[in-house]
Amino acid sequence: MMEKPTDLPHVALVDPFLGNAESDLPKPEGIAATWWRAKPPVGNTHPGATLPFGMVSACAYSGAYVTGYGRYGLSLSGGSPPVAFGAHEALGLAHFQQSGTGRIRMYYNYLLTTPLGPAGLEERTVRQPLADEVAWPGYYAGRLCGVNVGFEVTPMEKGMKHRYRFPEGAPVAVAVEVSAGGLLIEEMGTYPQGATLKADGNAVSGVVVMEGIPVHFHVKAGKAEAFLWEDDEEMAATSYELTLEKQKFRPTFGFGFRGREGAELELSFGFSLQEAENAQRSCGAESDFEEVVRKAAEAWEAVLSRVQVEGGSAEQQEMFASALYHSCLKPADFSGENPFTRKPGPFFLDLSTLWDLYKTQLPLMMTLWPEKGAAFVEFLVEVAVREGGFPVSYLMDNVPDRFTKQATGLCHAILEDARLRGIEADWERVLSLLWRTSQSGRGRRSRFGEYGRKFQVDPLSHTLDISYAHFCMARMARAVGHQVIHDRASALSPHWRNAFDPVSGLLREDSTYYEGENWNYSFRFQHEMKSRIELAGGKTRFAALLDKFFGFSEASHGERLFRFEGLNNEPDMEAPYAYLWAGRHDRTARIVRRVMQCQFTTGPGGLPGNDDSGGLSSWFVWSATGLFPVCGQPLMLIGSPLFPLSRWHLPEGELVIECLHHGPENVFIEEAFWQGQPLDRAWLRLEEFRKGGHLRLKMSDSPTDFGSRLPPPDFAP
């Protein structure tokens, strides 16, 4: 095994094992002890090797929920996740993993690769103890104890390098199961809809169709001979086809390599969703393993150094670096691999939890890597043209309608946010597609039509989604000079009010809500926050509702109160910052710091809930530096920095956030200065943030009235 590259300081800080297991967090104190837990307390991350926004990942595979790594079974409620496997074991190494999701139907884990012992293919189905695991960004290694074989994997742009070290004198052989897919949990596995394989010397080429998507592969081994197998019997043939007749019996099948000499075997995998030739070009068989590891680590160092923090404890530094790492795993960049059009161009997968990503992770990606943001915008446009509407998620399958319960119209906010962050695109065309698909959509998008007729839809959280989508279209229309769409969208944007009970000041209770209740969705950022606060009875009453929600005060007699989910889940992750519109920055500061203190830590149990493809980790990245984005609005909210100094290396300039008198108890802002001038507001204009500058904050251990006189702006039509 290799040693972690200490000369790459940000890579050295990352712990890819953070969030792999059930939460083991600091004991909640004060208001944090009252917060609600809707989801299983487990991060559901994996330590496998991948590149930033990488197409391919590889990790030890046990078949557990949800990434294929670990010991857990299916878990959907707020209790401890059930243990599916009695020990930390693995069947081998699989490719393509989700990160931090919950139940999403698609779990990949293709081309399961297993080193074999003296018993040959019979040992392929035996789970082995997994030990000596080591990981850093771009590298993952360990040992399968049953055959006593060490393994290492490192990613390439569209492929993966494996290296296996066998005991001296032991047979050298590896098996790859092409029929493998999904999880070893009922109804969570995947079986091929077709496959062909061809062995030629020390290489195997083929394609397997999973969930309607062709996965082409080319695998080459050094100093080894390839063979094919079916149902754990080696075949004399050099080609194989999974016919319709064979599919009835669901045979296991694949290929393998038998070493000719020595105790080490390297494999190079190349993948493509379009062509066999692409997979062969992506194989990178001649590249040196150590060089690939170094190149991957350097790619990660370049990404992780874009946001730097100074000060804080060693544990906080590790938490931040690991959070930024997890923020840059998804969406997976499959550019040039669109299996539907078979044309070059941007293509992304694993938008598994877009209802989380749009709030925190995508604004981070758009901010730091506008070129990636521009490609993402082009990808969304292509999907909308091809499928007749914008997605709310996107996975490696051929099913256009996905996840109708969670949210609606997310891409309207994502695309307007991209425009505000300076992403270059044909915004007139984007607007035309947004408007046309929202007016004439089908399936999940029919809610727009219902909203246009009734001015509300159920679930009521979708009423907020669609109202906000019309606000985003109106703002985009004004920017590109489309008066008709501007006027029509503006007229439809204020109907968020219909979702609220003017007596309680909250969302109405006569609705279903996804993974939460009416309280959890009641404090989402609206485009008309002044009217929202007036509907609640004014700033004082709005702040009082928030106080109940976060645990500063108790529920009234008979009141049905659902508390903050404490970052265990996504519906209310922005709610701590809602206080800013009521002039109570002190409350925001106290809550944000308490969340970071009680809901995050180091180690496998370091996350409070599903990382949701980096949505949760991105919340930490923003909040730890003292900022928070408002997707679709030209605002950056100011919180309470965890670190005394942060540097954002932005495309247009460097942003420095400096805290005077910083300390664990000094969570409140007494004074703020922007570019050396007093700043009497708890927010920055997005254009100020984008250009960079110096934000200096004087901290205090006592609540202050900072931010009380000038709330964030309202964007009423």
Side-chain angles (χ1 to χ4, degrees):
M1 295 182 186
M2 298 178 63
E3 294 185 1
K4 182 179 286 191
T6 55
D7 61 321
L8 302 177
H10 299 90
V11 165
L13 283 171
V14 172
D15 178 13
F17 294 96
L18 194 152
N20 296 172
E22 183 176 4
S23 302
D24 184 15
L25 303 172
K27 182 179 179 180
E29 300 177 355
I31 57 171
T34 72
W35 294 343
W36 180 47
R37 193 170 71 191
K39 299 282 288 293
V42 57
N44 286 347
T45 61
H46 69 81
T50 188
L51 289 171
F53 307 105
M55 171 175 152
V56 188
S57 57
C59 189
Y61 175 82
S62 64
Y65 182 80
V66 297
T67 65
Y69 174 82
R71 300 174 56 200
Y72 299 124
L74 175 63
S75 54
L76 301 175
S77 66
S80 293
V83 174
F85 307 116
H88 188 45
E89 297 174 331
L91 287 165
L93 293 135
H95 301 84
F96 304 102
Q97 281 83 21
Q98 299 291 348
S99 180
T101 66
R103 185 165 191 170
I104 57 170
R105 195 180 70 79
M106 283 291 298
Y107 304 97
Y108 310 156
N109 292 298
Y110 299 151
L111 274 74
L112 176 60
T113 305
T114 307
L116 303 175
L121 286 167
E122 293 180 8
E123 294 180 324
R124 190 188 55 78
T125 59
V126 179
R127 244 190 317 272
Q128 305 178 48
L130 180 60
D132 302 332
E133 289 180 285
V134 174
W136 63 79
Y139 178 82
Y140 173 64
R143 181 167 57 89
L144 292 169
C145 299
V147 292
N148 193 27
V149 173
F151 63 82
E152 301 169 276
V153 286
T154 188
M156 299 175 288
E157 183 181 2
K158 295 184 180 182
M160 188 67 59
K161 297 276 284 188
H162 294 228
R163 183 160 68 183
Y164 297 92
R165 288 191 170 93
F166 292 80
E168 186 175 351
V172 176
V174 170
V176 180
E177 184 184 345
V178 178
S179 54
L183 307 177
L184 299 182
I185 295 172
E186 188 175 358
E187 297 183 354
M188 290 189 174
T190 299
Y191 192 77
Q193 297 157 304
T196 59
L197 308 176
K198 183 177 181 180
D200 184 8
N202 68 339
V204 176
S205 294
V207 60
V208 58
V209 180
M210 292 287 197
E211 302 288 339
I213 302 298
V215 181
H216 297 269
F217 54 87
H218 183 85
V219 186
K220 190 172 182 180
K223 300 179 181 179
E225 182 179 358
F227 63 90
L228 305 182
W229 58 268
E230 183 182 56
D231 288 337
D232 295 327
E233 293 289 335
E234 190 170 334
M235 302 168 60
T238 58
S239 63
Y240 178 89
E241 181 179 3
L242 179 66
T243 63
L244 288 173
E245 184 63 28
K246 282 187 175 182
Q247 285 184 48
K248 297 177 184 177
F249 304 99
R250 292 202 162 196
T252 57
F253 63 92
F255 59 92
F257 298 95
R258 188 174 292 106
R260 297 173 181 170
E261 59 182 65
E264 186 176 289
L265 182 63
E266 286 193 13
L267 304 180
S268 294
F269 288 73
F271 296 99
S272 173
L273 303 189
Q274 286 190 351
E275 302 286 351
E277 292 78 8
N278 292 353
Q280 187 168 354
R281 281 193 293 270
S282 299
C283 186
E286 304 307 320
S287 53
D288 179 77
F289 190 90
E290 280 79 8
E291 289 180 3
V292 177
V293 172
R294 181 67 186 187
K295 186 176 180 181
E298 289 175 347
W300 273 111
E301 183 69 16
V303 164
L304 297 169
S305 62
R306 295 300 292 271
V307 185
Q308 299 175 325
V309 293
E310 297 179 18
S313 65
E315 291 78 11
Q316 289 170 338
Q317 289 273 349
E318 182 179 306
M319 288 157 58
F320 184 84
S322 302
L324 185 53
Y325 167 75
H326 282 130
S327 299
C328 300
L329 294 178
K330 304 294 181 180
D333 191 343
F334 278 68
S335 291
E337 297 296 340
N338 189 327
F340 305 106
T341 66
R342 299 176 64 83
K343 296 178 180 178
F347 191 73
F348 291 81
L349 287 172
D350 299 352
L351 309 183
S352 309
T353 61
L354 201 56
W355 45 95
D356 308 320
L357 300 184
Y358 90 99
K359 296 180 180 181
T360 55
Q361 194 270 348
L362 288 177
L364 186 70
M365 184 183 80
M366 301 281 185
T367 294
L368 293 174
W369 299 282
E371 67 286 352
K372 188 75 70 178
F376 191 75
V377 169
E378 187 177 341
F379 154 73
L380 291 179
V381 167
E382 189 279 320
V383 173
V385 170
R386 174 165 44 82
E387 295 191 357
F390 287 89
V392 294
S393 69
Y394 215 75
L395 303 172
M396 198 189 301
D397 61 21
N398 61 350
V399 182
D401 287 309
R402 309 167 180 90
F403 299 103
T404 60
K405 294 188 300 181
Q406 285 87 333
T408 306
L410 301 178
C411 287
H412 299 68
I414 291 166
L415 290 165
E416 171 60 4
D417 196 63
R419 187 189 68 80
L420 290 170
R421 292 179 189 279
I423 302 300
E424 295 184 3
D426 183 350
W427 292 112
E428 290 188 46
R429 183 182 184 222
V430 171
L431 173 65
S432 177
L433 275 169
L434 285 169
W435 182 254
R436 186 170 73 248
T437 55
S438 63
Q439 300 308 301
S440 61
R442 54 173 172 77
R444 64 182 178 273
R445 292 170 290 277
S446 66
R447 286 195 175 100
F448 275 84
E450 182 182 354
Y451 178 90
R453 296 188 303 272
K454 301 178 180 179
F455 303 139
Q456 70 175 59
V457 294
D458 192 77
L460 289 174
S461 58
H462 291 229
T463 297
L464 304 186
D465 291 339
I466 298 174
S467 168
Y468 198 72
H470 281 96
F471 158 73
C472 290
M473 285 190 287
R475 295 280 293 186
M476 191 179 295
R478 187 172 74 174
V480 303
H482 201 304
Q483 191 66 45
V484 173
I485 293 180
H486 174 270
D487 292 348
R488 291 180 179 178
S490 294
L492 288 168
S493 67
H495 298 304
W496 57 268
R497 294 175 177 83
N498 296 333
F500 283 87
D501 178 353
V503 176
S504 69
L506 301 168
L507 283 171
R508 294 175 3 222
E509 293 187 19
D510 59 332
S511 177
T512 58
Y513 294 94
Y514 178 74
E515 295 180 352
E517 295 296 334
N518 64 317
W519 280 85
N520 303 105
Y521 286 87
S522 286
F523 304 106
R524 286 175 54 175
F525 301 152
Q526 301 298 316
H527 48 288
E528 299 179 77
M529 287 300 289
K530 182 179 179 181
S531 295
R532 164 70 185 98
I533 290 172
E534 289 173 353
L535 183 146
K539 289 184 178 181
T540 300
R541 186 162 184 262
F542 182 71
L545 288 171
L546 284 166
D547 282 351
K548 286 185 179 180
F549 180 58
F550 285 105
F552 288 108
S553 60
E554 296 301 317
S556 305
H557 179 69
E559 188 174 25
R560 188 167 175 260
L561 172 62
F562 287 87
R563 286 269 163 80
F564 178 50
E565 293 185 333
L567 273 293
N568 168 260
N569 200 20
E570 81 280 349
D572 49 21
M573 68 193 321
E574 68 269 58
Y577 293 89
Y579 274 109
L580 298 190
W581 279 272
R584 292 299 306 272
H585 182 273
D586 60 311
R587 287 295 205 222
T588 291
R590 192 187 294 274
I591 295 164
V592 166
R593 283 290 196 96
R594 188 52 57 91
V595 169
M596 289 189 282
Q597 173 190 352
C598 298
Q599 299 282 293
F600 295 87
T601 188
T602 56
L607 293 177
N610 298 173
D611 194 41
D612 287 317
S613 301
L616 177 59
S617 288
S618 298
W619 186 98
F620 187 89
V621 170
W622 286 112
S623 296
T625 62
L627 298 170
F628 198 79
V630 184
C631 181
Q633 297 182 34
L635 289 174
M636 293 296 300
L637 306 179
I638 298 174
S640 179
L642 183 64
F643 296 95
L645 188 69
S646 305
R647 297 181 187 275
W648 287 74
H649 300 286
L650 304 171
E652 297 184 44
E654 183 179 81
L655 175 74
V656 177
I657 304 170
E658 178 188 9
C659 297
L660 307 178
H661 311 306
H662 188 276
E665 304 302 322
N666 293 6
V667 304
F668 306 105
I669 296 177
E670 184 176 330
E671 292 181 289
F673 300 86
W674 174 248
Q675 303 290 60
Q677 300 299 313
L679 181 72
D680 193 21
R681 48 185 163 94
W683 51 276
L684 294 175
R685 298 179 182 89
L686 185 55
E687 62 187 40
E688 293 174 323
F689 166 78
R690 284 176 50 200
K691 292 177 181 178
H694 193 157
L695 177 63
R696 191 166 76 251
L697 307 173
K698 183 179 178 182
M699 309 302 292
S700 170
D701 62 355
S702 301
T704 71
D705 64 353
F706 172 72
S708 63
R709 285 177 285 277
L710 190 61
D714 187 87
F715 296 97

